[in-house]
Amino acid sequence: MKHNLKTHPDKVGTNSEPLIGAHESIAGGIHKAFERAESVGCRVLQVFTKNSNQWSAKPLTDEDIANYKTTASKSSIKHVIAHDSYLINLCAKDRSILRKSREALLDELNRCEMLGIKYLNFHPGSHMGAGEKEGIRMIVDSLSWVHQQANGYQVKSVLETTAGQGSAVGHRFEHLREIIDGVDEPERMAVCIDTCHIFAAGYDIRTEEVYERTMKEFDDIVGLERLVAFHVNDSKKPLGSRVDRHEHIGNGAIGEIGFRCLMLDTRVQEIPKILETPKGKDLKEDRMNLRILEKLAKT
Ligand code: ZN
Ligand code: MN
Ligand code: MN
């Protein structure tokens, strides 16, 4: 059954149709993700632009691009964000992996530019024991190089907050600030908050009071004007665990109150909120999570 998010009849505010959606599979072609997203009632969509577990991908053909653009123009979904491959590490110690990572990120920016996708979300990187300071320095170099190669592109480079698992950089808002301040063309940088990741990194959002404190800290250090997306995921692991395990909304260590604070926060009402929660082939879990977020936006 098709589930559409409809405007509640006696609700006139902009929050009646929250900008929520999910990451959807591109099996069968990137344009196929729109169908999947629409079938569960998404208003925003996140996709990979290639297989996320492989370094290289076939270049997009004119037909791929045309299919994508036609489908996108007909779709009710107007906000699309790309997520990069999981192999990319912009501060890899191994020089050959670092070089491959920079080239792969450039390729992803290329693909976004060709498809007309405005945002490419990626994890800053893992320093592999070199230390956070050195990691940040390498990420800055990587991004400056990529920006130089991708001269004049429209697509924004979106740093995602991380859980700080292993040696992942980006689990403190200060890391994002330092990266943005360091890169050439900082105006090309934007940020995505992953609720599971920041919670696992130690930023609490479980009550109104701590949600406010965390958002203020983000605003003070990074700035809400940089924020272009949320990944809305509950967390299987506790506050500060630095372990990245996504859970269905309300079923995890964050709980419904934290997500209600987010859905009712008027400062971020126009920012797309994207689920990256576990699901099966029939996508019923997406429907369930979207319905919960929709309900929380009205309470
Ligand atoms: Zn991510
Ligand atoms: Mn995420
Ligand atoms: Mn994650």
Side-chain angles (χ1 to χ4, degrees):
M1 192 192 79
K2 195 166 160 165
H3 174 77
N4 282 318
L5 296 174
K6 289 220 178 75
T7 309
H8 196 272
D10 45 33
K11 184 97 184 178
V12 245
T14 51
N15 212 26
S16 55
E17 276 193 51
L19 271 183
I20 54 179
H23 183 107
E24 297 296 348
S25 160
I26 57 165
I30 308 178
H31 63 287
K32 292 281 187 188
F34 283 99
E35 252 172 61
R36 296 186 176 101
E38 284 165 8
S39 77
V40 293
C42 289
R43 297 188 64 224
V44 298
L45 167 64
Q46 181 174 277
V47 289
F48 295 124
T49 69
K50 57 186 273 290
N51 185 317
S52 64
N53 295 313
Q54 286 173 11
W55 278 109
S56 55
K58 274 188 294 171
L60 292 168
T61 63
D62 290 345
E63 197 190 341
D64 293 332
I65 297 167
N67 275 341
Y68 178 90
K69 288 195 168 170
T70 310
T71 313
S73 69
K74 286 181 190 153
S75 177
S76 55
I77 296 166
K78 297 302 174 200
H79 295 77
V80 182
I81 290 172
H83 193 298
D84 77 332
S85 152
Y86 293 124
L87 299 175
I88 293 176
N89 183 2
L90 298 178
C91 56
K93 249 177 157 178
D94 181 308
R95 296 305 292 185
S96 92
I97 296 178
L98 182 65
R99 187 178 43 80
K100 266 170 139 176
S101 294
R102 290 175 173 178
E103 276 161 10
L105 191 73
L106 176 59
D107 180 51
E108 302 238 14
L109 282 177
N110 268 318
R111 297 169 85 87
C112 288
E113 198 71 5
M114 286 190 274
L115 296 169
I117 295 176
K118 292 198 185 89
Y119 300 105
L120 175 65
N121 178 92
F122 55 90
H123 300 200
S126 292
H127 63 71
M128 314 304 283
E132 285 173 349
K133 206 172 161 234
E134 176 63 6
I136 289 168
R137 194 193 62 76
M138 289 172 81
I139 294 163
V140 163
D141 282 356
S142 294
L143 288 171
S144 295
W145 180 84
V146 169
H147 283 172
Q148 201 173 52
Q149 303 302 308
N151 186 30
Y153 283 23
Q154 297 295 304
V155 55
K156 291 267 197 292
S157 304
V158 183
L159 289 169
E160 179 176 352
T161 57
T162 70
Q165 190 167 295
S167 63
V169 176
H171 59 93
R172 299 290 312 164
F173 297 152
E174 287 84 355
H175 297 172
L176 306 183
R177 177 79 263 162
E178 282 179 47
I179 295 167
I180 294 166
D181 285 344
V183 298
D184 293 342
E185 301 183 74
E187 65 280 7
R188 293 171 69 164
M189 301 300 300
V191 172
C192 166
I193 292 179
D194 184 311
T195 53
C196 166
H197 295 177
I198 61 167
F199 183 76
Y203 294 104
D204 203 353
I205 53 169
R206 285 173 296 186
T207 65
E208 220 169 298
E209 195 192 341
V210 293
Y211 172 87
E212 272 308 315
R213 194 190 303 152
T214 292
M215 289 304 282
K216 183 175 186 306
E217 197 170 335
F218 177 85
D219 193 25
D220 288 347
I221 295 166
V222 179
L224 281 169
E225 67 283 357
R226 293 268 177 195
L227 186 65
V228 295
F230 283 93
H231 287 164
V232 277
N233 305 308
D234 208 330
S235 175
K236 277 196 202 297
K237 300 293 174 183
L239 179 72
S241 60
R242 292 184 59 173
V243 178
D244 177 11
R245 295 286 181 279
H246 300 186
E247 180 56 279
H248 296 299
I249 304 301
N251 278 3
I254 298 175
E256 282 200 358
I257 294 170
F259 291 100
R260 183 197 288 141
C261 292
L262 174 64
M263 295 309 296
L264 294 177
D265 186 344
T266 54
R267 292 167 298 190
V268 297
Q269 217 158 66
E270 300 304 317
I271 310 284
K273 300 175 181 76
I274 299 155
L275 292 164
E276 296 176 320
T277 39
K279 60 191 166 196
K281 266 222 150 88
D282 60 5
L283 309 180
K284 68 173 190 305
E285 297 88 348
D286 278 353
R287 287 193 182 87
M288 172 189 84
N289 284 311
L290 289 170
R291 218 171 293 149
I292 292 168
L293 290 175
E294 201 192 14
K295 180 194 82 184
L296 294 173
K298 288 174 180 169
T299 49

